[in-house]
Amino acid sequence: MVCACALALTMSLLLGRLSQWVNHRQCFLISRALRVQQLHSSSAGLTDSSYDGLYPGHIQTTPIQKALLAVGSGVAALQNPYRHDMVAVLGETTGHLALIKLRDRMRNDPEGYTILTERPRIRLSTLDLNNMASLPDGSFGREYLRFLEDNRVTPDSRADVKFVDDEELAYVMQRYREVHDLLHTLLGMPTNMLGEVAVKWFEAAQTGLPMCALGAVLGPLRLNASRLQSLFTSLGPWALQNGRRSRCILSIFYERRWEQSLEDLRQELNIEPPPVTLRATNKSST
């Protein structure tokens, strides 16, 4: 126990120094990255169409522009993990190879193939909240609604994809983004920093997205020593193990599973319940 506490404290100090080093470079990188996005947004406004034909909202970028966006958004997301716009840009500009693998896994799964064909969206406009509220406690739909209420989040906060240069892969990224809160429900993790980092460890092992790996490595920057100890000794190993062995989380048609019990759905996906229970707290908590 003493060794674990010492390791957590040492990691916290080292990660803190890394954060200070990154601070000096943040403003320049973010300004360059956002400038790229603004230029393309402005040029799009000069035409009647807001996209180039791949999908609505798509912004074509060169490899150099993608690199600038990736670095700038990565630094911004490191400083404030709740900058969902920066996290979104980072995922889109670095995830091409991982998205191909995820798309192929979905194609090879009957339920995943149906999702790719029908392209469902998870938005407030597509959810029957009254019906979900009437479901019994323990059902997936009722527990998901409870998660939204307890953590004061909404599925409409997930931004639309812009920088993925393939229409089908753009949907895969959008689907990943929109099932993120469902994954919180499946894993029993709130949206405080420890819960978010635990989910990122699971997602890194499950999806292979560089954004998730970066979040898993750098997320502990914002954790104190006691929460680092909890992450390294229990939640982290649990998240990695379940992320590696579970069924593809994008291949589940969650919209048709609201009445299924959360416990049964976890068993179907081969996900174990969390080793510790975390309560929902204010997002500024670390």
Side-chain angles (χ1 to χ4, degrees), residues 166-192:
D166 179 278
E167 187 271 339
E168 189 173 41
L169 296 183
Y171 176 75
V172 174
M173 173 59 79
Q174 191 71 49
R175 185 65 176 178
Y176 156 76
R177 194 171 288 168
E178 293 182 2
V179 305
H180 177 79
D181 288 338
L182 299 174
L183 185 55
H184 270 276
T185 304
L186 285 169
L187 297 178
M189 292 291 109
T191 58
N192 61 23

Side-chain angles (χ1 to χ4, degrees), residues 69-71 73-74 77 85-95 210-211 214-215:
L69 286 167
V71 174
S73 60
D85 55 340
M86 293 292 97
V87 174
V89 172
L90 178 62
E92 295 173 29
T93 55
T94 62
M211 170 196 64
L214 185 65

Side-chain angles (χ1 to χ4, degrees), residues 157-168:
S157 65
R158 303 299 170 185
D160 290 334
V161 174
K162 296 181 177 68
F163 298 105
V164 177
D165 297 332
D166 179 278
E167 187 271 339
E168 189 173 41

Side-chain angles (χ1 to χ4, degrees), residues 4 8 48 58 66 89 95 180 203 206 209 216:
D48 293 333
H58 174 248
K66 278 188 171 60
V89 172
H180 177 79
E203 289 179 337
Q206 164 80 195
L209 286 166

Side-chain angles (χ1 to χ4, degrees), residues 16-28 75 78-79:
R17 290 176 183 174
L18 176 59
S19 179
Q20 292 175 357
W21 179 84
V22 167
N23 276 340
H24 297 294
R25 292 153 177 82
Q26 178 185 15
C27 293
F28 172 76
V75 173
L78 172 62
Q79 293 303 116

Side-chain angles (χ1 to χ4, degrees), residues 60-74:
Q60 186 70 44
T61 50
T62 67
I64 293 177
Q65 290 169 333
K66 278 188 171 60
L68 281 173
L69 286 167
V71 174
S73 60

Side-chain angles (χ1 to χ4, degrees), residues 70-115:
V71 174
S73 60
V75 173
L78 172 62
Q79 293 303 116
N80 182 3
Y82 295 108
R83 281 291 305 273
H84 296 303
D85 55 340
M86 293 292 97
V87 174
V89 172
L90 178 62
E92 295 173 29
T93 55
T94 62
H96 182 71
L97 295 179
L99 289 174
I100 291 175
K101 293 180 180 178
L102 287 170
R103 188 269 313 276
D104 291 345
R105 291 179 67 182
M106 295 178 72
R107 283 180 174 177
N108 292 326
D109 182 288
E111 195 169 358
Y113 183 80
T114 301
I115 293 170

